[in-house]
Amino acid sequence: MPGLLRGVARTAVVAGTATAVSNRVSRRQSGRWAQQEAEQQAAAAPPPAAAPPAAAAPLADDMTAKIEQLKQLSTLKEQGVLTEEEFAEQKRRLLG
């Protein structure tokens, strides 16, 4: 039973971390786009016709999310919630 509880807790932490990182990245990206629009309107430049680059943003967002999850896993390992083997497995899943 403790192993099951640990697994459920680990899953909840990873899912919560992923959600928090995703929300933070979305808010930051929205803020940057709003700032860019305001700067363009202030300069009286016509708005751009093309959409923002979509290829680079998901890769950067995905990497940021993975880094945050690794930090969270490391913290859990340091607190003794995860064993070295569990940490290595979760890291392998995240990066693999």
Side-chain angles (χ1 to χ4, degrees):
M1 191 66 160
L4 178 63
L5 184 58
R6 180 179 283 180
V8 169
R10 184 178 337 118
T11 301
V13 168
V14 170
T17 301
T19 302
V21 169
S22 175
N23 289 341
R24 184 173 39 163
V25 168
S26 294
R27 283 193 307 269
R28 186 175 3 152
Q29 197 171 37
S30 295
R32 286 181 182 168
W33 288 343
Q35 183 181 10
Q36 286 176 352
E37 278 186 14
E39 290 172 0
Q40 288 174 353
Q41 289 175 355
L59 293 176
D61 292 347
D62 186 47
M63 185 58 69
T64 302
K66 287 182 180 182
I67 290 171
E68 290 298 321
Q69 287 177 345
L70 281 173
K71 287 179 183 178
Q72 182 69 29
L73 288 172
S74 175
T75 302
L76 289 173
K77 186 182 91 173
E78 290 172 2
Q79 292 173 349
V81 175
L82 295 177
T83 64
E84 184 66 37
E85 293 80 21
E86 291 170 330
F87 174 75
E89 175 65 21
Q90 289 299 319
K91 186 170 84 170
R92 183 190 61 75
R93 286 183 186 174
L94 184 63
L95 298 177

